Amino acid sequence: MPPSVVLVTGVSRFLGGHLAARLAANPDIERVLGVDTVPPPRDLLRRMGRAEFVRADIRNPLISKVISTASVDTVVHASLTANPGSSGGRVAMKEMNVIGTMQLLAACQKAPSVQRMVLKSTTAVYGSSSRDPALFTETMTPKDLPPGGYAKDAIEIEGYLRGFARRRPDVSVTTLRFANFIGPRIDTVFTRYFALPAVPIVLGYDARVQLVHEEDGLAVLEKAASEDVPGVFNVAADGVLLLSQAIRRAGRVPLPVPSLAVGPVSRLFRSARLVDFSPEQMRLLNFGRVVDNGRLRRQFGFTPRWTTVQAFDDYVRGRALRPVVDPDRFAAVERGVLAAARVLR
């Protein structure tokens, strides 16, 4: 049964704004409320159609009044962010992620009209380490707990959501753990990273990268908001790319950095406002992370349209990334390296 009144957080960003637009286009949904601290860009606001923008801070208890006054029955919490730059710094990002979620859940707990809660979480809750399994399933826990940053925020938030589900067993709760987003329109740390002319990589490592296309991500969020599909689901495309393969497909030049120099290099890129590398993102570039999406197919009923390779190639085409170095030169160098290795053996 479709919802009557849906509230979406984080509508000034790509996912929240475009999700509100999709839900507003559904005639079976009576009202769509989009909440954020700042209004969406003009083009996104126009795309949202009949969705109503409400300028509110979910860290403020007044969000409870918004939910109760509108008799919201479905809440999609899509405002979690991994980008401190767009949040006003790491402290502000943590406040918005953790404190904001606590206030939002408290407001939902008091509102008898709320029947469905959807959380946009992240596969970063599994961490990244050398002891990781080949595939993470939804029942697994991280081998090394993330010490801080977005990953730790997400772990705390999922814990608060489980507590909310115990206190409100009548509410259907869906947790969506997304892999890193990629696509021609979305702006993330990864889309900026692969657009750099020289892409820094950790010397001696070639991580496995698993992605999810922006359109698949929106489709999953829309389905979770529109249908009753409770549970925890990994949302990721089929297949993986090695980091070196992704860099080559984007026509970029790899820049190997020794492990000891990773910190200074990441600070340099952050100060230049090119890419804001967090410690957990640097560990991801070391060890990678791959999750199993079988439950998404079987129980949630969604099959990703794009594989990891297809999603990445669509990003490269959509951004019109021009090769920094002729790909034939890369191939020639690789052949030379392989030939030298055979001679040495």
Side-chain angles (χ1 to χ4, degrees):
M1 182 177 177
S4 297
V5 182
V6 184
L7 182 143
V8 181
T9 66
V11 292
S12 68
R13 302 189 187 98
F14 177 87
L15 286 175
H18 283 80
L19 174 62
R22 287 189 175 207
L23 295 174
N26 186 345
D28 295 328
I29 300 176
E30 295 178 11
R31 288 182 75 187
V32 178
L33 304 178
V35 174
D36 212 324
T37 54
V38 295
R42 288 184 180 179
D43 59 335
L44 184 54
L45 195 59
R46 286 194 298 269
R47 188 185 293 267
M48 286 168 59
R50 66 183 178 92
E52 306 166 41
F53 172 67
V54 180
R55 189 164 190 164
D57 191 335
I58 61 172
R59 293 171 293 184
N60 193 309
L62 289 176
I63 190 65
S64 180
K65 186 176 181 181
V66 175
I67 293 173
S68 59
T69 302
S71 297
V72 172
D73 59 27
T74 299
V75 176
V76 183
H77 187 22
S79 65
L80 269 66
T81 177
N83 189 354
S86 64
S87 306
R90 298 190 186 277
V91 174
M93 182 187 80
K94 183 175 181 64
E95 285 184 0
M96 182 61 75
N97 284 345
V98 179
I99 305 302
T101 301
M102 291 174 65
Q103 291 288 0
L104 181 66
L105 292 176
C108 292
Q109 183 178 330
K110 296 175 185 176
S113 62
V114 175
Q115 301 172 4
R116 187 177 301 154
M117 180 76 191
V118 179
L119 172 68
K120 180 189 79 72
S121 188
T122 170
T123 56
V125 296
Y126 299 118
S128 293
S129 77
S130 58
R131 301 188 296 121
D132 286 350
L135 286 174
F136 276 105
T137 66
E138 289 84 350
T139 58
M140 291 180 177
T141 55
K143 298 298 181 182
D144 289 319
L145 283 171
Y150 176 54
K152 187 178 180 183
D153 291 353
I155 291 174
E156 291 182 27
I157 288 166
E158 287 196 12
Y160 295 138
L161 185 62
R162 288 191 293 271
F164 167 81
R166 288 192 296 269
R167 292 187 293 272
R168 285 290 305 271
D170 57 310
V171 176
S172 175
V173 175
T174 304
T175 302
L176 303 171
R177 293 173 176 169
F178 287 94
N180 289 90
F181 286 98
I182 202 82
R185 296 183 295 165
I186 196 169
D187 180 29
T188 68
V189 172
F190 256 43
T191 59
R192 295 183 183 185
Y193 172 72
F194 287 114
L196 294 171
V199 180
I201 59 174
V202 184
L203 185 64
Y205 294 87
D206 196 5
R208 295 178 303 158
V209 177
Q210 188 181 30
L211 304 167
V212 59
H213 194 280
E214 60 190 35
E215 294 297 330
D216 277 337
L218 283 170
V220 168
L221 284 167
E222 183 182 10
K223 181 179 174 66
S226 306
E227 303 176 19
D228 188 13
V229 278
V232 180
F233 304 96
N234 292 330
V235 185
D238 294 330
V240 298
L241 272 172
L242 292 177
L243 190 58
S244 60
Q245 293 174 328
I247 293 171
R248 185 162 57 247
R249 296 181 86 91
R252 310 291 97 177
V253 177
L255 179 64
V257 178
S259 298
L260 294 177
V262 166
V265 170
S266 64
R267 287 192 292 272
L268 175 64
F269 276 83
R270 191 183 308 133
S271 62
R273 296 185 178 182
L274 296 174
V275 180
D276 192 350
F277 289 115
S278 64
E280 65 264 23
Q281 287 156 353
M282 295 310 302
R283 283 192 294 274
L284 180 62
L285 297 180
N286 272 30
F287 307 110
R289 183 193 309 116
V290 182
V291 300
D292 177 34
N293 63 6
R295 183 182 288 186
L296 181 74
R297 296 171 181 273
R298 295 187 304 271
Q299 297 182 21
F300 191 84
F302 182 85
T303 300
R305 179 182 171 188
W306 282 269
T307 65
T308 290
V309 172
Q310 290 169 343
F312 190 83
D313 288 347
D314 190 49
Y315 153 74
V316 173
R317 286 191 301 269
R319 298 295 177 94
L321 297 182
R322 303 289 183 183
V324 176
V325 177
D326 187 350
D328 291 338
R329 291 190 179 183
F330 270 124
V333 171
E334 285 182 346
R335 287 194 296 269
V337 171
L338 290 173
R342 285 195 294 269
V343 170
L344 289 173
R345 282 199 299 269

